[in-house]
Structures are given as structure tokens and as C-alpha cells.
Amino acid sequence: MTTLELDGVTKTFGAPDAGGVVAVDDVSLTVDDGEFLVLLGPSGCGKTTTLRMIGGLETPTEGVISFDGTEVNEVKARNRDVAMVFQNFALYPHMNVSQNLGFGLRRENEDRSSEEIIDRIEAVAEMLEIEGLLDNTPAALSGGQKQRVALGRAIIREPRLFLFDEPLANLDASLRKTMRTEIDELQSEVGITSVYVTHNQEEAMSIGDKIAVMNDGRLQQLGTPSEVFNEPSNQFVAQFVGSPDMNLYEGTLTENGDVYRVNVGITEFDLPSGLVQAGDDVLDVVVGFRPQDLFQSRTRQTGGPKIEADLRVVEPLGTEAILYGETEGRAIRATDTQFHDLDEDQSVTLSIAPEHIYLFDANTEELLKGRLMTEREDTGVGEVEVRDGAGAEVRDG
Amino acid sequence: MAADTTDPAEEFGSNRSWLYDTTPGFYLRKVLIWGTTLGLSTFILFPLYWMVVTAFKTTSEIQQIPPTVVPETPSLEGFRLVVESSLAAGGFDSFLGWDISSAIDIDVLLLIANSLKVAVGAGLIALVFGTIAAYVLSQQEFRGKNAIMSLLLASLMFPGTAIMVPEWELISTLNLFNSHLALILIYGAMTAPFVVWLMKGFFDDFPDSILDAARMDQCTPYESFRYVIAPMAVNSLIASFIFAFLLAWNELVFALTLLNQSKFTVPPGLLTFVQGFNTQWNVVAAASILVSLPVLAGLAYIQRYFVQGLTGGAIKG
Ligand SMILES: Nc1ncnc2c1ncn2[C@@H]1O[C@H](COP(=O)(O)OP(=O)(O)O)[C@@H](O)[C@H]1O
Ligand SMILES: [Mg+2]
């Protein structure tokens, strides 16, 4: 129904020369009709400001926002037909649930019949399973219930766009997981173009069709969850996406006949030249290992570099554990399912498949080589695809 | 035996004096608490009690020494005189065909009407100007803002009568002597600072996201005000209004000095009944009760809004 486009959108608060803040800096992106875009980034990076500009609550300093090709910069929020779910729910405290839901419908069209409004309130309440709460005031609701009402208030109008500003941040962890599935299902059901803001990369991965990673007001990358995970455009994205954090080591890349020689201090290895395109003879690089890609040599042969590490802490998370180790004075993190017989302070040999190694240019922090699929995991990446139940087995290999 | 506890709250609890640990201590505590409560209540409630019993006494019983604590011959004489003479003054006696020949000249209805006029006027002035000022002080940043807030607070601590002379000059310059407008302006100005403080608290706490939500729900600025801000502000506005209203209702000194007897409000009006040795105290007491009733009834009705407004209970959703 609606394609959203941002072209060079910039927002500056205050005068730029007098200590003003550039909250959003030259962001361009397109969200296709019915698509679910997640704006992901650390707090303060301009996600909310971007969302508010889309909703019409802020005016861009520069650039163009358009719906279906029509510029809406000057269109007031109330005329954009956009619905927004706020982090703190922002329910009207003096209205009961039913009035909260119906308020927008009434404002949209004063002549709408009360029967129609009541019908739609009931339909939405049923969809969200809050039929029993219609007469309660927001003060009497739990966090999860408030969240449902806030969602209901957004979907009842069947707007052109849904905007979500960290809608789950105020809920506890278990509720967050169920609600995020519900939002995902709800959005697919109604098929309305959506922009969803979060600083939680796991949430972004699981809910988004596309992810726009932002930092410092700038768009870092726009891509599908697996693109963002496997081919992060730069070091920032690589570090921000994925948990635990990626291991990063500075090193050098030297052309050596058919192969590239990589030396990162803690280990040294060759990469086939087919895997990486690099011009210079010697290049300062940053090498990245995802903890999920590091395996103990005894459990799995990766055919890649080996790293001796002294274990410091083993943090069990149920089926797997995070292994915190140290190698040549550098910290290293790995995850593994074979951890029950491990002692803290013992040493382990970790290794990683060459395809899984990330390389970044140390000067520009841009990606030189991303993570490629190996034959053994043609179903995709563990972290990203866990929802489909395929990636989980990969690690047990 | 003793639990090995490190919880500071429990340690504090276990470290109590004999006042808490022994039976005599328990009773002493009760006695002290009840004694203090009783003393304070007597101090506050006795004058009210005395007013009520005086209203039901006859003139001769009032002059009895020692005074009686409970009326021996309860009488409605005081009330009768107040009502009759008020009706007479209002011209209702001929209308009702009553023959009233009261020695005193009281028009309670007129006093109440005058007071209502002044108190409502002052309340509205304080509300309108105080709310607008509070909104600006809450939403805008400008130099001297804190100074203004402090000044307003200081003016609340300042007794109004201290500026009697300049006020007198002002009213005289404005040519407003013996007019209710003069009182409305003075009372409004005296209470507006309180309204500013109360309403600024309201606006400071008002969540921006609720206004954003209203905008996303397609409200025009007017609709946001009409359907969202105003209903949420109602309690605070009522609390502000009551405060201003009560001050105007009770104020004596300005009313006494700026008005002639014909325009008196309730407080100076009641004072005119006090006429040295001839004072009919039962009439004064009865009149006091009668003029308090409408305000008491009104307050009882909106008391809950008052408390909610003062504590900001309206906003915490
Ligand atoms: N109304 C405002 N006035 C001034 N600065 C603002 C305003 N809103 C946001 N900012 C600034 O813009 C930057 C981005 O904020 P925001 O969009 O809220 O980030 P995020 O939602 O990603 O946490 C922050 O530095 C913030 O301080
Ligand atoms: Mg934000």
C-alpha cells in the first residue's frame, strides 16, 4: 500500500554552529510496500528522530521524505495517516481501554457511526486478546496489557504506515520474546509497511525483513538480517550485530603467491586469494572471529587457523556456553556446546574455518571479506536462522 | 538463638528501646500518641464546637457564668433571626406574607452573593493568568526563569496586609474604591503565584509522548487541548481554583478597608454583628454556620479532585 522513501534526510537540533546536534545525518533508504524495516543502533544514534520525522512529529532540516513517491515533508502528522507505538505506551490516562482504542477513529472522521467504532474496537480487542480489559483504565493494566492496547490503538485505524519506537523496551525479558513474535505475526497479517526502532540486535534479527544499522546519525548499512550478519559493511556493524561480541584483532595482510598471508599476532594463517580481493602488497587489517564460529579443535575440524587459549571463565547458557579465554595477552570469546567437561584455567585449542573469518581495512574500517557459507551449513547462519530451526544443529556438527 | 542477620533494616528493628520491648513501654507509647492526638484535636476543633453550641443557645444562657458546655435550653432563636432578617432585607417577607420585626439588620444572602462573586472572580483570574504563566514557565527556556519562580514563591510567604498601603494607592489611582472588582484583582494577584507553582508542576510532568500520541491520532492542536490536555488538567485546575476561592472567601482585612458596608463580603459582614456588649452571639454563630454551609458542601464534593490535583495523581497512568 505504501512505499516509504527517505532521501538525504538530515535533522539538526539547534543551530549547527552554536553547539547544535546533528541527530540524523544524510540518511537515504527505501522501505517497500508491506516490508518490515528495523532501525537498529546504539542509543542516541538518531533512530527515534528518524522515526519521528517519518511520522511528521519532527521536520527534516534537509532531504525529502516521501510516501509512494509523493513528498510529505510539509504534511502534518495528522494528515499523514501514520500510526505510532511509543516506548512508554503513551496511553491516555483519563480514558479507558475502549476509549483509548476508539479515540483515533473518532478524530479521523467525526461522522463515523458509534456502531462502526464499537465494532472495530471489539474486532481489535479480540485480535489482541484484550476483550476483558475494555473498561479498565490504563493505570489498572500490566505492562504487557498496556503494550497490547498501544498496539491496538495503532492497528485499529489501518494506517498507511506503522511506526514502532522501542515498543518492547519497557517489558520484561520473557514478555519481550512473546510480544515480538506477536508483532511480527500481526504485521504479516495486516501487511502494512512498518518501521521498527530498537537498540537490541537480537530483536532486530528476529523481527526484521530488512535492517538499517545506524551509528552517530549515519546509516551504516541497509540489508537483510543475514546480509548484515555475514557481510557487515564495516567494523561497527560487525561488532554491533551478533552476540557475544565479535573478536577483533589488528594484523597485516600480505600477498604471498596464490594466497594471502594474514598475521594477527595470536595466530598466522593463509587465505586463498579467491576469498578476498585486496590490492596492496601489505595492508593493515582488522581480523574478526565470531564467537559462534570458533570451535574447540577436539570437537570439530574447521581446516582453518588454530589458536591456543587459556580459559578464564565458562558461562553456561543452557545448551551452550560462552568460553572467555586469553591468548597472547588478548581476550577471546567463543561459544560451544561441548563445555561440561571444561575447567576454568585449562587451555583449549580453538579454530575457525577460513570462510568464516571477517577482514576489515584497518584504516577505513570497511569490510574486505565477509563470512561465507561453508558446505556443512548451507542452510545458513546459526544466529540468524535459529528461528527456522536449521542453524542450531550446525554447531553440533 | 539470635539470627545472624546483616540486613540493616532488621538490625535497626532489633535495636529498640524498652518503649518498644516492654508492656509498660507499649502502654506509655499508646498513651503518648493518643494524648497528643487528643490535645491537638481539641485545640483545632473546640472553637468550632463552641461556635455550634453558641448558635443553639439563648442570649441569656450565653451570658451565664460559668458558661454551659452543652446548651441547657437549646433554641433556634439565632437561626430564626438570621433567616428572617435576611428574608426581610431581600424583600421576601412581603412575598411570603410574613411579618418580621427583627431588631437586627442582617442580610446573609447578600453577603454570600457578594463573597461568591468576589471569590469566583478571583479564582478565575488566578486560574487563567496562573495557568498561562505556568505553561510558559514550564515549556520555554529563558533567562531569569528561576528568579521569577523564586519571586512568586516569596510573594506567597509575604503577608498581604504588609503591602496594604501601596495597594490602597493603586486602588485609589484606578478609582476602584468600594467595588468588588478591586477585591477580585487583589485576591487574584495574591493567589496566582500558588496557581503558577501548582500548574507548572503539572505541565512539567505532562508526558510529551501523550501529546505526540494525540498528534498521531490525528488531533489538531485544539483537539489535543480539548480531549487530552484539558481532561488531564482538570484536577489540578480544580485544586488551584479551590485554593484561590478559599483565600478570597476568608479574607477580612482588604474587604473591610476597601468596601463600604453595603458591599461587604462574608468576613467583614459577620464582623458587623459584633457590637460590643450588645452582641447577640447566637446570631453571629448562626450566621457563621449558615455562610459556611455552602462552601463546606462544595468542598466535600470536590475534595477528591483537590487531593488528586495537589499530588499529581491524574497523570501517573
Ligand atoms: N528535541 C531534541 N532537542 C535536542 N536534541 C535532541 C532532541 N531529540 C533528540 N536529540 C538528540 O539527537 C540525538 C539522537 O537522539 P534520538 O533520535 O532520540 O536517538 P535514539 O532514538 O537512537 O536513541 C541525541 O544526541 C539526542 O540528544
Ligand atoms: Mg530512541
Side-chain angles (χ1 to χ4, degrees), chain B residues 11 23 49 90 150 168 208:
Chain B
E11 270 180 33
T23 317
Y49 170 77
S150 310
W168 181 284
D208 289 337

Side-chain angles (χ1 to χ4, degrees), chain A residues 21 59 63 70 84 97 124 132 164 184 188 192 227 232 234 251 278 290 343 363 384 395:
Chain A
V21 185
T59 320
T70 313
M84 186 154 169
V97 169
V124 165
F164 302 87
D184 200 6
S188 332
I192 291 174
E227 277 166 4
N234 57 37
R290 289 226 183 258
D343 282 332
N363 296 314
V384 181
R395 292 187 201 128

